[in-house]
Every structure is written in C-alpha cells, then in structure tokens.
Amino acid sequence: MTAPDGTPDTAPDTAPDTAVPDASWDRLDRRAAVLAAALYTAAPVVGGALLTAYWVAVGTSLGTALAWTVPPSVLAVAVGAGCGEWMWRVTRYHVDDERLHVHTGVVFRKRLALRRERIRSVDLSADPVLRVLGVATVRVGTGEHAGTEGTVTLWPVRRAAADALRATLLAHAARTGTDGTRTDGSLARFDPRWIRYAPLSFVPPVLGAAAAGGAIQVAEWFGLQEDLFAAVGSWFGLAPAVLVALALLGALLVVGGVAALALWVETWWNHTLDREADGTLRVRRGLLTTRSISLEESRLRGVELVEPLGVRLAGAARVDAVATGLTTGEKDKTESRTLLPAAPKDLADQVAAAVLREAAAPPTSAPLAGHPVAARGRRLRWALTSVLAPEAVLVVLGLLLTPVLLHVAWVSALVLVPVAVVLALDAYRALGHALTPTALVARAGTVRRATVALQRRGIVGWTVRQSVFQRRAGLLTVLATTAAGTGAYAVRDVGQAEGLALADDAVPGLLRPFLVGDDAPTGVPGAEATDLRGTDH
Amino acid sequence: MAGVTAPTSDDSARTALTLRPPRHAVDRRAVGWWTWQVVLWFAAGVVPLAVLGLLVPPARTWLLLPAAALAVVGAVAAVALPRLWFRHHRWEVTDEAVYTRTGWFFQEWRVAPLSRIQTVDTVRGPLEQRFGLATLTVTTASARGAVKATGLDAATAAALAADLTLATQATPEDAT
C-alpha cells in the first residue's frame, strides 16, 4: 500500500505512550469510582439474589435462603467496589501541548497518546448513579475509523473536570474569526409538545411485543407461566375470539405507546442544540442519563431531514447530521447523529439551515426538480411485483391444495394492491433534486422519506449507475460519494442528461472531461487532458 | 427561491448527454483470467455434485442431472461473460481524475478526482499472478467511493500506482 499523503505525517494518531506519569497527571474521582462500581454490581446481584432467595425459601426456610444469598451478594459487591478502586489506581491522564496521554486498563494495561489536533469528539454522559455522585463518563474519539481503536473512555471524571477537559480538547477546532458569519448560541430548544410525534413510529409495536415477551419470561422465573397462559386463554371464552385478540393487540399497543413516550422523555428531555464558541455543534439531552455530544463543524458535510411515514403524516421531521467519522464505540449510532428529534417540519427546515449556516434559504426546503415519469412506472412495477409474486404463489398452492388459499389470495390482493400503488405513487412524488449555491439536495423514499443536503465541497467523487431497464427508460442513478455519513448519497432515477448535468454543475470540472453528446457543455477544462499512461490498448 | 438553480432537461432530438467510455480497454489476458474465475466458481458446485452422484448410486440421477445442467450453464457463462466484460470494463487516468466503467446489466461509471485520493493499492490474486495481471484500487475518504480497475497488465498497474502516488502528493489538500 502506498500512502500518497503529501503532508508530513510521520506520527500515528494513536500510539503506545512512552511518557511517564508524575504527580501532575490527573486522576479519576476515587469516591465515585468505588461507589458507582459497587452500585452497578449491586443492581444485578440483588436482583439475582432475590430470585434465588424466593426459590430457596419456597423449598426450605427464609433463614436458609438468606444464608445462601447474602454472603455471596456482599462478596460480589465488594469485588465490584474493588474493581472501581483498581480502575482509579491504574488510570492517569494528562493533556500536554500536543497530546492527550491516557494510562488505563483494569485487565489489559493500555497506554495511549492521542494527538490533540486529531481528536474529533469529546462526548460526556452521566447516568443517574453518576449524576448523583456529580461525575460523568468522558469518551474521547479521533473519529478516524469505525470501531473502538481510536477512542478512549475515562470513567468517572468530576463534572467540572469533564467539562474543562471537553473545552480543552476541542479548543483546536475553534475557527479563527475571519468569516464573520459566526453566530454562537442556541439553534434549537426542546419543546415538550414534540412528544406527540413519539408514538408515531414502529417503536410502540416493538416495545409492546417486548413487554409481552418480558411478562412471559418473568412468569417463567417464578414458575407461573402456565397460569399466565391459562388466564389469557380463559378470556377468549368471554367474547368472540376476534374481539379478544383485537383487545389484546390494542392493550399491547397502548403499553408499547406508553413505553415509547417514556423512552422519548428519557432520551430527549431538555434537548438543546447549540453552536459553541469552539466551533462545535453540541447536543445536550436526557432526563435520567444526561448526554453531551459534540460535533466539530469542520466535520460536517451536510444534513439529512428524515421523515418516517407516521411522523411525516403528522407534519414533522427530524434532522440528522451528515458528518465524517461520527462517534465510534457509541451503541445508539442513529441517535448520536440526530441533531433534532421529530419536530414540526418548518422548524426542522430552519434548524437544518442554521446548522449549515444557510439561514436565508433553507436547502432542505428548496424547490426540487421532479424526475421523469418513467421513474413512476418503475416504482409501480416494483410495488405490483412485490405484491403479486407472493399472491401467485398463494394461487398456485390454492389450485393444488385447498380453495381457502384462493380466497386468502383475492382478499389480500384487494387490500394490498391499492396500498402498494399508493406507496409507489408517493415514492415517485418524493423523488427530486436541486442544486443550491453550496449544496446538492436530493429527496427519496416513502416509508422513510429522506431529504439530504450535501455540501458540494464535501463530494469526493461520483458513481453513476444504470441498469438495462434504466437505460431503456432513459434514467440513471447518480451517487455523490463523500467521506461523511453513509459514504454516498443518491439521486435516484433521474433523467440521463439531467442527472449528468446536475453532477457536472455540482462539482465543476470533475465529470466534464468524460461527458459527450450534442448537449455536452463546452469550454471543457482538460477535455484533451493528457493521459498519465499514454499506452493505448 | 433565491440562488437555487434546478437543472432543466433538454428535450431536443439530438444525441443525449452521456458518459463517454474510458480510453483504455483492460488487458486482453483478462478474458483468460475471468474465464478461469467463472470456471472455478461453477466447478465449486459441479464437482461435489458429480462426485456425490458417482458415489451414491440411489441418488445418482438427482445429483448428476443438476450437475450436468450447472456445467452447461457454467460453460456458456465461461464463454460469454468474460467477452462481455471485456467489452464493457474500461479505465482511464487523466491528470485530474481516475475514471472507470464496469458491468453490462448494471453499468457503473466511477470518477474520483486525484485531489481526493487517499490510498493507491495494487492487488494481485493467485490467478491474476498466473496471467500477469493486477487490480488497481484507488480509495477516497468515502467508504463507498473506491475506484477499481481490474484486469490491468501488472507492469502498467505498478507504474500507474507510482504515477498516481506522485500526482496526489502534488495536491496537498484535506482529502475529506
């Protein structure tokens, strides 16, 4: 492999550290480390102990049960506290002019030196335990690659020290105030009314199903599973089976809906989106577990306005960042790049514009050019095929086996065909693209409609795709490749000449030498570009 | 809206705007290489079926029949596909960009500007080595933006990699 990197880049971003800690190095919070580790261990241990005690007490006596469970629990919690203490003993960190040095590791000793100018993210989080203790977890990432290689976690750090560390490490991102357009301050403030969008997703059914599964599981622990099934089964005697089933389903949806509301409150309460003086966008949110997620503006390549079907019907959208090297090692990746939860569409457009510093003309609400009618035909064909193929299987089986399947087939076709057609027409209406002075805007999707505004400077290449069917219909798909987000954003099923002209306009000069046709733009820079390898084959 | 230009399509009867084929065809030997690839792919299915068919007399018909069918399909593919690919796989490197075209059913053109190139690799698999070929892979900061030129003459690929490395060093820029 050759690395054609012109800049002198001899030192790796993360390297084994040779610096020797001394008294000036910072340490974690000892009291919090011990207490938090003890509490974390205590929660599952006490739960397990209670369950075990229940079973032992059923068989013997309460005394035996306590004798069996209390000493191991105390021992386990003590070991947990010991781990916390050990964590405190082995961890030291220090920020010097060039690097963040971290020595840590309970089992594997880890010595890291992260170059400060390569540090891309400093995220703080604090669950209720840590908040009570006045500390936070600090996760520092270089954002170079996905995975945990470039990240280091400091746990727990005193709240004030954590904030100071964040400010220090991200200070290099501060823009020199030459562009004058800098507006520090609030871009979005949480509005409790947004909670009405929380249940409008796939979350309630999923959580409802999870609640049912959880109830069955807990019943099994206590040996009551059969009683539970018997109880539910007995309800079917009270009313027609269909009604009972619908009622059960409704109850699960209600439970799931309540859970979705609770989840939303926990995740998004007190959400704020600010532009900090150090050139970062900072999202702060959370009711019990508070999080602070920082995104350097220099890593931002665009925004994506996402409208899942339910949320869209309610006139809302959420805003995701399209940025390079987003938080690694973070489990909830979607949420960590969400700048604004589902909020009224106008507001989402404004926030997206403010994030991109284009408040005058929000790119995501720019008027879009629609795509050729041929694209509608393709969507209708896909939709009908995806409905009629399974129906055909049903019909064949029905003819071979039982006429019941034939009835299932025509009834389901009666419902599904209109749904498929509506979705296909909606998907066609969603298609669109535009070019603003700074961004390429593309919209697509029906179940998850997404409008991406990708900064034109962030486009690092083009991929143009055309299947045989698209060739016949005069369509093609243009993908702008970028270092950010998913790596490429598509303008789907755009007219051939239109799509190529769009790509040519978006990044002047890149595609032009390769375009031909009577409409090909003239004044081609490098049309006769010299071939690096002149040998013709 | 101010400053927004929505491109308009040109519906004249002239030749539509299109991407021209890249200048260079892949090396002629790539046909042989691709043929072997197809043959090996199908052999992985045909050989186990045939061997089992010969070893298990009761199931012989039901094993040898698919094996024969697969072999016929494989033979057709081994003759037709490499020639089709040879016509459609093309590449070009200018002093501005790397440009490739691949595929027939799903045709795909890829362009990466030299200023955004991050790494230049040449890879030679065991089969490619036998045919004196190499694959040139040019990556940008995009996870989905790599441009691959397969079936190049090994010496050409190596020289290209060297040239590209030099050319990209001449444009020091944050490649993201």
Side-chain angles (χ1 to χ4, degrees):
Chain A
M1 192 173 95
T2 332
D5 193 343
T7 54
D9 188 15
T10 46
D13 302 338
T14 58
D17 195 8
T18 48
V20 182
D22 58 37
S24 72
W25 285 43
D26 294 303
R27 312 191 74 165
L28 303 175
D29 188 76
R30 185 178 194 174
R31 187 181 68 106
V34 172
L35 286 176
L39 281 170
Y40 288 150
T41 334
V45 162
V46 168
L50 282 177
L51 201 60
T52 319
Y54 169 81
W55 278 109
V56 177
V58 166
T60 57
S61 70
L62 188 62
T64 325
L66 290 180
W68 272 96
T69 52
V70 171
S73 306
V74 170
L75 186 67
V77 172
V79 169
C83 284
E85 164 80 10
W86 199 358
M87 188 65 154
W88 174 79
R89 277 179 190 280
V90 297
T91 305
R92 282 178 170 79
Y93 64 94
H94 176 64
V95 184
D96 66 18
D97 290 342
E98 281 184 10
R99 291 162 195 277
L100 163 69
H101 303 268
V102 178
H103 288 198
T104 187
V106 171
V107 181
F108 297 99
R109 301 301 298 274
K110 208 160 126 182
R111 296 173 167 215
L112 273 176
L114 271 63
R115 286 169 66 192
R116 283 177 64 179
E117 75 265 24
R118 288 297 173 101
I119 288 173
R120 291 284 178 268
S121 64
V122 182
D123 295 343
L124 315 182
S125 67
D127 59 30
V129 171
L130 296 185
R131 283 175 70 183
V132 167
L133 295 170
V135 291
T137 304
V138 180
R139 187 177 287 115
V140 181
T142 54
E144 287 292 302
H145 296 285
T148 51
E149 283 298 304
T151 64
V152 61
T153 303
L154 292 172
W155 171 96
V157 180
R158 290 220 70 79
R159 191 77 216 185
D163 280 326
L165 190 62
R166 178 194 168 279
T168 313
L169 291 179
L170 291 179
H172 67 83
R175 290 191 177 181
T176 45
T178 46
D179 57 354
T181 57
R182 175 104 143 258
T183 48
D184 301 337
S186 170
L187 302 183
R189 283 263 164 272
F190 167 82
D191 183 340
R193 283 174 299 174
W194 298 345
I195 196 171
R196 66 181 182 275
Y197 305 121
L200 300 173
S201 64
F202 65 94
V203 175
V206 170
L207 287 180
I216 293 171
Q217 184 63 52
V218 171
E220 192 191 346
W221 285 340
F222 291 94
L224 301 171
Q225 201 175 24
E226 288 182 5
D227 297 350
L228 182 74
F229 286 142
V232 173
S234 70
W235 297 343
F236 278 85
L238 304 176
V242 177
L243 283 183
V244 177
L246 281 178
L248 278 176
L249 204 64
L252 282 188
L253 279 180
V254 168
V255 170
V258 170
L261 294 181
L263 191 64
W264 187 90
V265 168
E266 158 62 6
T267 311
W268 295 111
W269 199 256
N270 277 336
H271 165 272
T272 60
L273 171 63
D274 296 295
R275 176 169 280 134
E276 301 272 316
D278 56 14
T280 59
L281 293 165
R282 185 176 190 184
V283 175
R284 271 175 289 194
R285 58 183 173 81
L287 179 66
L288 300 177
T289 297
T290 56
R291 289 170 201 284
S292 149
I293 298 159
S294 302
L295 171 64
E296 271 185 67
E297 264 194 289
S298 56
R299 294 196 296 142
L300 194 73
R301 295 290 178 275
V303 294
E304 195 172 27
L305 198 80
V306 183
E307 302 162 86
L309 187 57
V311 170
R312 172 155 61 97
L313 292 177
R318 75 162 195 269
V319 178
D320 285 0
V322 175
T324 60
L326 261 188
T327 340
T328 52
E330 180 95 357
K331 278 173 241 80
D332 49 353
K333 278 196 173 157
T334 314
E335 279 180 358
S336 73
R337 64 166 189 262
T338 298
L339 298 177
L340 181 77
K345 174 89 164 52
D346 287 347
L347 181 73
D349 278 330
Q350 283 165 24
V351 169
V355 165
L356 291 177
R357 295 175 185 274
E358 307 231 358
T364 49
S365 62
L368 302 184
H371 290 189
V373 184
R376 186 172 66 194
R378 274 166 67 77
R379 268 148 196 79
L380 282 170
R381 275 192 293 280
W382 292 337
L384 290 177
T385 312
S386 60
V387 171
L388 294 181
E391 300 287 358
V393 174
L394 275 182
V395 168
V396 169
L397 288 178
L399 290 174
L400 292 175
L401 303 171
T402 157
V404 174
L405 289 179
L406 289 179
H407 293 297
V408 173
W410 73 261
V411 172
S412 61
L414 218 56
V415 177
L416 290 179
V417 168
V419 170
V421 169
V422 167
L423 286 181
L425 293 178
D426 187 55
Y428 172 66
R429 264 199 306 279
L431 289 179
H433 64 268
L435 205 57
T436 75
T438 54
L440 169 69
V441 185
R443 190 178 67 187
T446 173
V447 176
R448 176 190 184 275
R449 175 173 295 183
T451 313
V452 68
L454 186 64
Q455 289 177 341
R456 286 156 68 173
R457 65 176 179 85
I459 297 174
V460 301
W462 294 103
T463 299
V464 178
R465 283 193 187 142
Q466 193 174 45
S467 70
V468 169
F469 303 123
Q470 281 179 311
R471 211 172 305 160
R472 281 211 314 244
L475 303 172
L476 43 71
T477 294
V478 177
L479 292 115
T481 60
T482 172
T486 60
Y489 289 89
V491 183
R492 290 178 201 288
D493 281 342
V494 64
Q496 179 170 325
E498 207 176 339
L500 294 175
L502 174 75
D504 181 43
D505 289 344
V507 184
L510 177 52
L511 209 56
R512 187 157 292 187
F514 310 118
L515 291 173
V516 289
D518 293 343
D519 304 328
T522 48
V524 179
E528 298 307 319
T530 46
D531 213 328
L532 276 182
R533 277 289 104 189
T535 51
D536 223 318
H537 290 260
Chain B
M1 187 139 321
V4 175
T5 55
T8 52
S9 68
D10 195 328
D11 53 358
S12 64
R14 299 174 299 168
T15 334
L17 189 62
T18 187
L19 284 163
R20 68 167 170 78
R23 292 223 168 119
H24 307 298
V26 300
D27 195 281
R28 189 76 223 176
R29 284 167 291 177
V31 175
W33 170 51
W34 283 326
T35 309
W36 270 100
Q37 273 193 324
V38 176
V39 166
L40 288 179
W41 266 104
F42 277 91
V46 171
V47 170
L49 280 175
V51 169
L52 281 175
L54 295 176
L55 292 178
V56 189
R60 189 159 284 170
T61 331
W62 296 109
L63 289 169
L64 288 187
L65 219 60
L70 205 59
V72 171
V73 173
V76 172
V79 172
L81 287 182
R83 278 153 190 83
L84 196 65
W85 289 335
F86 180 75
R87 282 224 304 276
H88 288 92
H89 279 65
R90 297 184 72 87
W91 62 274
E92 178 174 343
V93 178
T94 71
D95 45 14
E96 296 285 324
V98 182
Y99 175 44
T100 64
R101 185 185 76 180
T102 53
W104 169 78
F105 194 88
F106 292 100
Q107 202 151 28
E108 187 169 288
W109 298 260
R110 284 177 174 245
V111 182
L114 295 201
S115 59
R116 304 292 194 144
I117 290 174
Q118 288 203 324
T119 65
V120 183
D121 303 340
T122 57
V123 179
R124 307 183 68 196
L127 264 181
E128 278 179 296
Q129 289 180 30
R130 306 254 331 158
F131 283 92
L133 298 171
T135 298
L136 179 77
T137 307
V138 172
T139 65
T140 63
S142 164
R144 288 164 62 190
V147 177
K148 266 189 183 184
T150 49
L152 302 186
D153 172 65
T156 311
L160 264 176
D163 289 353
L164 281 173
T165 305
L166 276 177
T168 50
Q169 274 171 353
T171 52
E173 189 182 319
D174 177 20
T176 58

